[in-house]
Amino acid sequence: MARSKRFVALVAALAALALVVAGCGGTTETGGEKETVTVKIGVTSPFTGDVAALGLGIKNGATLAIDEANADPELQELGIKIEGFFVDDAADPKTAVNAATQLTSDPKVVGVVGHLNSGCSIPASTKYNEAGVVQVSPASTNPKLTQQGLKNVFRVCTIDTVQGSFAGDFAVDKLGAKTVAVISDSTPYGDGLADEFAKQFESRGGKVVSRDKIQLKDQDFKALVTKIQGLKPDMIYFGGMYTEGGLISKQSKEAGLRVPLMGGDGLYTQQFIDIAGAANAEGDIATSVGLPLDQQPKGQEFKAAFEKKFPGTNIEAYDTYAYDATMVIVEAIKKVAKEMGADKLTTPAGKQAIIDAVAQTDYDGVTGKVAFDEFGDTTNKAITAYIVKGSAFVPYEQ
């Protein structure tokens, strides 16, 4: 081979090697310039309707995470930009399935943060599974969500069996309650939480004097309150969301039934107090997943960043969980991009690799260590009780 021909062959070999290295490193270069790959994270929860306060909080938490991810030099070096794809599920199961279809129809969507309500997450989860897209819920607590055997489904919040059991013990040990009237809102979340509470309360020697169900958007509970009033319970336990819970608290106190109303994380928002009226809500109790914000490992950092991004906006119960759920997907995106290349993220193999990476999560989040068990449930089981004092929820201390 002539010397000039050997030189040309060497240049060609080096060029080929450079392409291979670029592919393994997760970046794509065109004409010497790095080409950015855009992927999307779907975010879906109720942005409108009766529980929009909690749903918009999820949107805010996820937005903050996506903004911070795009400022991450590591993600930039990988040549990746993340966009949020926000879809309102209106807290309605049928709308949630449509939202899932809309999200998974976009090939750039590589993961979904959602939903708030278990009644939405459970039917929508099959759509994400069929599309091979990872779902990480920040707030759906019904055990059924992760008991369907869907390997793409995860959640960063703990489950009703943990929260309901905690509440049952709390009612006995902290409130000294011996009798309770139990109400739920006929949703998977509300019914499941109320069932777990009642089971634990009775196992501790308590007596459930009545068990009633209401429907979402009901507003007049006077007949129900009158019935419960005659049974003279020590407290009311409500499995449901803050709109109906606030109205039950208001109407029961106004009827003279001045016993505390207790519920789960669906009540843990200022909106509950505003609906009930501060005087009526005083002494009511809500349990919520995780630790109070100021006790979360990175709670103060989150609060500072949130207030800068959303000045004048309240931090709701699941904002930090939505942030962590989003970051779990972001970390998986980075891992897969390094191993397969950023241009493979939106392929079926890339999306499956993201699911596998999420399953192996070991992430130090705002809420604490984030990792999942074999079912996709968080290993963080912390629950906190809050009581209404002085027109606001504060951690219960006694």
Side-chain angles (χ1 to χ4, degrees):
M1 182 182 293
R3 187 173 182 178
S4 60
K5 289 184 177 179
R6 288 200 299 273
F7 176 74
V8 171
L10 177 61
V11 171
L14 290 173
L17 178 62
L19 287 173
V20 170
V21 171
C24 291
T27 60
T28 302
E29 294 189 4
T30 302
E33 295 184 2
K34 186 181 295 182
E35 186 175 293
T36 299
V37 174
T38 299
V39 299
K40 297 180 181 179
I41 295 178
V43 181
T44 177
S45 60
F47 305 151
T48 58
D50 291 342
V51 293
L54 295 176
L56 290 170
I58 288 173
K59 182 181 180 182
N60 290 340
T63 298
L64 188 60
I66 291 170
D67 285 355
E68 293 186 5
N70 283 324
D72 180 358
E74 185 179 11
L75 200 73
Q76 294 173 358
E77 181 62 26
L78 288 166
I80 301 168
K81 179 183 178 183
I82 297 175
E83 291 183 358
F85 187 175
F86 303 96
V87 181
D88 180 9
D89 71 16
D92 174 69
K94 290 182 179 178
T95 307
V97 171
N98 291 336
T101 300
Q102 184 179 352
L103 289 169
T104 55
S105 296
D106 187 333
K108 290 187 177 181
V109 172
V110 298
V112 172
V113 175
H115 299 245
L116 165 66
N117 308 82
S118 296
C120 292
S121 272
I122 293 170
S125 62
T126 58
K127 290 293 182 183
Y128 303 126
N129 183 258
E130 290 168 3
V133 172
V134 70
Q135 175 191 7
V136 184
S137 173
S140 296
T141 53
N142 189 291
K144 184 181 176 182
L145 176 62
T146 51
Q147 291 176 352
Q148 302 173 95
L150 305 179
K151 299 299 183 184
N152 65 310
V153 178
F154 303 85
R155 57 178 146 205
V156 294
C157 56
T158 194
I159 58 178
D160 291 342
T161 50
V162 176
Q163 186 175 193
S165 178
F166 174 94
D169 286 337
F170 186 93
V172 173
D173 297 332
K174 302 296 184 181
L175 303 182
K178 292 182 171 53
T179 58
V180 60
V182 177
I183 308 169
S184 61
D185 66 358
S186 303
T187 67
Y189 163 72
D191 288 350
L193 190 60
D195 288 345
E196 293 298 333
F197 167 83
K199 185 167 63 177
Q200 185 65 14
F201 186 75
E202 289 183 316
S203 77
R204 294 292 311 279
K207 181 179 180 181
V208 176
V209 297
S210 63
R211 181 72 163 86
D212 293 280
K213 293 188 179 185
I214 64 165
Q215 301 299 315
L216 291 175
K217 300 187 183 302
D218 283 354
Q219 295 187 338
D220 187 351
F221 303 106
K222 293 185 179 65
L224 176 59
V225 166
T226 299
K227 169 192 166 184
I228 292 173
Q229 197 167 18
L231 300 172
K232 300 180 179 179
D234 293 331
M235 58 178 287
I236 297 172
Y237 187 85
F238 176 62
M241 305 301 286
Y242 64 83
T243 301
E244 290 79 16
L247 289 172
I248 292 172
S249 177
K250 174 183 173 64
Q251 292 174 25
S252 61
K253 307 305 183 359
E254 288 177 347
L257 182 56
R258 304 202 69 83
V259 296
L261 182 143
M262 183 178 186
D265 45 308
L267 305 187
Y268 182 49
T269 169
Q270 184 64 34
Q271 296 292 316
F272 167 81
I273 301 170
D274 293 345
I275 292 170
N280 295 321
E282 188 78 5
D284 286 347
I285 292 169
T287 57
S288 190
V289 299
L291 299 171
L293 181 63
D294 61 0
Q295 295 178 27
Q296 293 178 17
K298 298 180 183 177
Q300 293 305 311
E301 295 174 33
F302 178 88
K303 183 179 180 183
F306 185 95
E307 290 177 345
K308 182 178 181 181
K309 176 73 176 177
F310 306 107
T313 304
N314 289 333
I315 298 176
E316 296 291 349
Y318 290 109
D319 296 15
T320 55
Y321 288 86
Y323 179 95
D324 279 354
T326 307
M327 281 304 190
V328 163
I329 297 175
V330 170
E331 291 300 311
I333 288 171
K334 291 195 292 188
K335 182 175 187 292
V336 173
K338 291 175 186 175
E339 295 174 353
M340 299 178 64
D343 58 328
K344 301 296 191 298
L345 288 168
T346 58
T347 66
K351 292 177 181 178
Q352 180 58 53
I354 290 172
I355 294 172
D356 296 340
V358 169
Q360 300 300 316
T361 292
D362 183 13
Y363 174 68
D364 291 318
V366 173
T367 61
K369 177 72 73 177
V370 181
F372 302 108
D373 64 17
E374 66 271 30
F375 302 106
D377 288 327
T378 179
T379 57
N380 185 343
K381 309 295 185 185
I383 299 286
T384 301
Y386 300 86
I387 186 169
V388 178
K389 278 188 176 180
S391 306
F393 274 114
V394 297
Y396 184 94
E397 295 179 355
Q398 184 177 340

